């Protein structure tokens, strides 16, 4: 979290002429749906709301108050968005055509979540329980939302979820940062296998939000992004070694680790575009790997003045969403270090992953002074 205010701070409306709050969102002319909330405890409800904005950042619609508390992951497939919260047991869906908001909870008394993923066939989210008894996964086929199923996976909290046909591959990490990978058969409702990932010391995934796609399927293998941060020989220089971890989906064994080769690049998310694997980190550049595992840099083409301004700010890549050949990267501002941006949460830049062209830039204004946590979905 880039900024933590006094939780007793009075709520102040920051956007003038914002449309009246309604139970159903107006999606017309919208570019993004935002889930905003305060920083709150698990015991407080209705501390957030959904908003629809256009490409210019104008607020077109807002929902009535929702039980959103630190929304941590949002995904969308075929005009349906899904969001889970880190400080609330509420989980919601939003129809991106009609704006209808509905609960997707399995039951009312469940704990919070870390991650949610969806594709054309399935939706999966976790329920964070105690580490001793494992974490529950809730899933359903998208065309049967009332037929929710659940199972338990061991070894820590959910980090990444990838769905491949009727199989799901999920990474978890325990409190000692030891990572595991699990193979789930969604049809038979069973954990097929679980395996500890043999990673080196200080070698771990460093993605912004757990919902960012840090695990993908490419050319018959699973690929997972990790960083290894270590101190140089002079005990002062910090060396970052970003890598792709190639995993056999049948055995869950690590086949090899592929260095990215740029010490300033912290891999966050992965996408498959035009038969190539794209490695994403932030607004500056990406790396692309072909079938021969050759990696090349692809610089994002943003205006020099925008790049310079971003480089001078204290920022964090919070969320990366990929749709087809487009990436939507949410760069969050550190509000403590910039009075000029005190009412701006950050910006979403849209890029063409085939050529690096910037397609749009949307500044995200905070609708309410206490709404500091945000995640988003693209309205297609």
């Amino acid at each position: 979290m880039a900024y933590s205010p006094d939780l007793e701070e009075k709520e102040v409306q920051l956007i003038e002429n914002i449309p009246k709050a309604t139970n159903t969102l107006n999606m017309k002319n919208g570019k993004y749906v935002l889930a905003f909330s305060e920083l709150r405890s698990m015991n407080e409800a209705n501390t957030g709301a959904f908003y629809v904005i256009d490409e210019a950042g104008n607020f077109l619609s807002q929902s009535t108050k929702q039980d959103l508390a630190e929304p941590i992951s949002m995904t969308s497939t075929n005009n349906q968005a899904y969001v889970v919260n880190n400080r609330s047991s509420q989980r919601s869906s939003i129809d991106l055509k009609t704006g209808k908001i509905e609960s997707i909870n399995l039951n009312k008394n469940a704990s919070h979540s870390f991650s949610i993923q969806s594709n054309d066939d399935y939706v999966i989210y976790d329920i964070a329980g105690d580490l001793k008894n494992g974490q529950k996964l809730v899933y359903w086929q998208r065309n049967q939302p009332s037929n929710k199923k659940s199972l338990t996976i061991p070894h820590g909290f959910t980090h990444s979820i990838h769905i491949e046909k009727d199989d799901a591959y999920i990474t978890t990490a325990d409190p000692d940062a030891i990572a595991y990978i699990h193979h789930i058969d969604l049809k038979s409702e069973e954990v097929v296998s679980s395996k500890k990932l043999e990673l080196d010391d200080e070698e771990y995934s460093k993605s912004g939000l757990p919902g960012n796609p840090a695990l993908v399927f490419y050319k018959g293998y699973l690929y997972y992004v990790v960083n290894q941060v270590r101190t140089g020989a002079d005990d002062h220089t910090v060396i970052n070694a970003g890598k792709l971890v190639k995993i056999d989906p049948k055995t869950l064994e690590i086949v090899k680790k592929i260095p990215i080769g740029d010490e300033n690049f912290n891999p966050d998310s992965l996408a498959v575009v035009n038969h190539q694997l794209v490695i994403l980190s932030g607004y500056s550049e990406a790396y692309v790997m072909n079938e021969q595992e050759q990696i090349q840099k692809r610089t994002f083409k943003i205006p020099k003045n925008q790049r310079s301004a971003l480089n001078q700010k204290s920022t964090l890549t919070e969320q990366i969403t990929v749709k087809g050949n487009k990436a939507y990267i949410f760069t969050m501002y550190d509000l403590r270090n910039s009075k000029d941006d005190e009412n701006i949460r950050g910006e979403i830049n849209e890029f063409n992953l085939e050529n690096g062209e910037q397609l749009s830039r949307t500044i995200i204004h905070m609708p309410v002074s206490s709404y500091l946590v945000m995640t988003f979905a693209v309205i297609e």
Side-chain angles (χ1 to χ4, degrees), residues 32-52:
Y32 302 107
V33 57
L34 313 177
F36 260 111
S37 91
E38 303 174 11
L39 292 166
R40 287 302 186 208
S41 73
M42 286 286 292
N43 298 321
E44 298 174 85
N46 299 334
T47 58
F50 294 111
Y51 296 86
V52 176

Side-chain angles (χ1 to χ4, degrees), residues 25 32-38 47-52 63 66 68-74 82-85 92 94 319 330 364 367 371-377:
L25 292 167
Y32 302 107
V33 57
L34 313 177
F36 260 111
S37 91
E38 303 174 11
T47 58
F50 294 111
Y51 296 86
V52 176
S63 74
Q66 302 285 317
L68 291 170
E70 301 188 23
I72 193 171
S73 185
M74 202 167 187
Y82 308 91
V83 63
V84 296
N85 297 278
S92 305
I94 305 169
Q319 180 177 346
F330 173 40
I364 307 297
Y371 281 12
L372 294 160
V373 185
M374 192 209 91
T375 184
F376 73 92

Side-chain angles (χ1 to χ4, degrees), residues 22-30 33 50-52 60-63 77-81 93-102 378-380:
T22 55
N23 292 328
T24 300
L25 292 167
N26 180 3
M27 312 304 292
K28 185 178 180 181
N29 299 321
V33 57
F50 294 111
Y51 296 86
V52 176
L60 306 179
S61 179
Q62 68 169 320
S63 74
T77 302
N78 292 343
N79 297 313
Q80 199 76 21
S93 68
I94 305 169
D95 189 310
L96 299 179
K97 287 292 186 182
T98 67
K100 186 178 181 180
I101 302 167
E102 294 184 293
V378 182
I379 302 170
E380 297 181 283

